[in-house]
Amino acid sequence: MRWLALVLMLLAPAAHAQSWGTTTSDDGGYAAGFVRYPGLGAGFTCTARSVQNKPILDTSWFESTTAPPWHFMLWFNETLIPAVPPFQHSDLIYYVGQTGYRLPLIHHNEMEGGWQVMLPMTDGLFTALAGANRLVLAVGAQQSWELPVAGLGVALDQARAFCAATWAITGPAAPPGLGVAAAPAPQPTPQGAFTLPQQIIADVQGKCAGAIIDPQALTAGDLDGDGQPDVVVDYSGVTCPGHTLNPYCGAANCSIDVFMSSRSYLSPIGLLGIGATMVPLSNGRMGLGVSGTWSLCGDSGCDQPFVWNGVDLVRR
């Protein structure tokens, strides 16, 4: 096979001082880990649905391709692999040392201007890349590039760990053999104390970057009867830096978000009111008392607590 040194044309100057690196982001749509080498038209990306669970249309991932859970998307730009018919390749091989790893059929994504293929994180290629001392990408029998390996194994581990931290919350569980433990569900301590789940912190921070949550803004109790505390966030007690007025409060009523443990503390139920309290019910369960102004409650609309009906919180 004839090895071409085309990679030297694709790398930025002083390539000997560079290495693969990881960048991460979470815009509320997806938590993503990006593995790149400066100036090189190839990389790896993992994406996990964010715990903030924002509608994708409201995020930067609108119309973007995402890898399935516990997969990396391998991508190559058109500088590295020109876009020519039939716009697919079944002959891409990564050589790690002397061992070749043929990639699945790879397609050109015209909208995103590059080539993409999904590969499970359990694939032997990633085990090999962790300790690679030489990496060559071959396209067919006549075209090949020797790619840098400095920092690649570490960068892949960092991206995988970032996405795994979100999958541990939102699922699905790690496939056998990957060696990533799922995060345990939040549990109250024997003293009754409770650690605020990261899903709730992420959701509040997504609405208000740098938010400061007053402990008095939090109320916990078992509304859905699953034995785990559900958490209420009253935004009258949430400070949003940079805002003179609280953006989540009107003249009197404020936003109130209820995070149900049976929903894994995702997609909170939004209410309006002035304060929220846990109310014991005659059946031994808990209800949520929410008061409000006359415009919200009328003559007696807020007298009855909200109760869980198995799907939603409704007035009793």
Side-chain angles (χ1 to χ4, degrees), residues 103-120:
L103 300 183
L105 182 67
I106 184 169
H107 295 272
H108 181 260
N109 186 324
E110 183 178 3
M111 181 176 295
E112 298 185 37
W115 300 83
Q116 300 168 343
V117 65
M118 312 302 173
L119 204 60

Side-chain angles (χ1 to χ4, degrees), residues 33-301:
F34 307 92
V35 177
R36 303 185 180 99
Y37 188 96
L40 180 64
F44 308 81
T45 302
C46 63
T47 46
R49 191 69 167 94
S50 172
V51 297
Q52 299 176 51
N53 202 35
K54 289 184 179 179
I56 299 302
L57 290 176
D58 296 340
T59 73
S60 61
W61 287 94
F62 175 54
E63 294 187 336
S64 295
T65 304
T66 58
W70 304 105
H71 283 64
F72 275 116
M73 179 174 71
L74 283 62
W75 56 267
F76 310 89
N77 70 18
E78 294 168 351
T79 304
L80 192 63
I81 304 175
V84 295
F87 302 108
Q88 62 183 30
H89 277 283
S90 59
D91 54 357
L92 264 68
I93 302 175
Y94 263 130
Y95 285 92
V96 183
Q98 299 300 314
T99 304
Y101 297 84
R102 183 179 294 273
L103 300 183
L105 182 67
I106 184 169
H107 295 272
H108 181 260
N109 186 324
E110 183 178 3
M111 181 176 295
E112 298 185 37
W115 300 83
Q116 300 168 343
V117 65
M118 312 302 173
L119 204 60
M121 291 181 174
T122 52
D123 192 275
L125 171 63
F126 298 114
T127 302
L129 290 177
N133 54 22
R134 189 186 185 201
L135 179 63
V136 173
L137 173 65
V139 184
Q142 298 299 318
Q143 199 171 28
S144 60
W145 298 266
E146 182 154 351
L147 307 183
V149 295
L152 179 54
V154 172
L156 285 169
D157 281 345
Q158 290 172 341
R160 183 188 296 110
F162 180 78
C163 289
T166 301
W167 285 318
I169 297 171
T170 62
L178 196 57
V180 179
Q187 298 285 338
T189 68
Q191 292 77 29
F194 182 68
T195 300
L196 193 64
Q198 287 298 315
Q199 302 95 303
I200 298 177
I201 296 173
D203 190 276
V204 175
Q205 292 291 334
K207 291 183 173 72
C208 171
I212 301 171
I213 306 174
D214 187 319
Q216 298 301 314
L218 301 173
T219 304
D222 186 9
L223 295 168
D224 54 16
D226 67 353
Q228 299 294 325
D230 307 301
V231 180
V232 180
V233 178
D234 180 351
Y235 272 83
S236 67
V238 176
T239 301
C240 293
H243 292 268
T244 303
L245 300 176
N246 191 323
Y248 293 97
C249 290
N253 300 301
C254 291
S255 295
I256 296 172
D257 279 350
V258 185
F259 295 84
M260 310 300 295
S261 57
S262 54
R263 292 186 177 185
S264 300
Y265 302 108
L266 302 173
S267 302
I269 298 169
L271 305 172
L272 285 175
I274 304 174
T277 57
M278 294 292 167
V279 179
L281 304 177
S282 59
N283 62 3
R285 299 280 293 276
M286 280 288 197
L288 183 67
V290 178
S291 59
T293 59
W294 188 90
S295 61
L296 181 67
C297 299
D299 289 329
S300 59

